Amino acid sequence: MTAPTLPFADLEQVYETLATTLDALPEEQERLFLAQLALALAHRVTDVALVREAIEEARRGLAVAAS
């Protein structure tokens, strides 16, 4: 069974909120904020495998962006 996902329009709202929040933070707090956000979201997921998959997906996204 595929996990439910946000509709694209909702995902765009999340992106906009995240971008606005990051822009308002001092640069030295961005990493801590993102770590806290990741843990807050992971706390809402009932399957550790899904959290680990999301971490791997994000890591792969960085590798693709760097190439």
Side-chain angles (χ1 to χ4, degrees):
M1 182 169 115
T2 303
T5 59
L6 284 176
F8 187 75
D10 290 348
L11 192 57
E12 284 184 323
Q13 289 182 32
V14 170
Y15 178 85
E16 183 60 35
T17 302
L18 182 56
T20 300
T21 302
L22 287 171
D23 286 345
L25 290 174
E27 189 174 336
E28 61 273 7
Q29 290 184 350
E30 289 177 3
R31 288 176 66 168
L32 178 58
F33 167 78
L34 290 171
Q36 289 177 326
L37 175 61
L39 289 174
L41 292 171
H43 183 69
R44 289 159 171 80
V45 177
T46 59
D47 184 349
V48 71
L50 290 175
V51 175
R52 295 178 114 182
E53 286 175 22
I55 292 168
E56 180 59 24
E57 181 180 331
R59 188 195 64 74
R60 283 192 312 266
L62 289 177
V64 169
S67 58

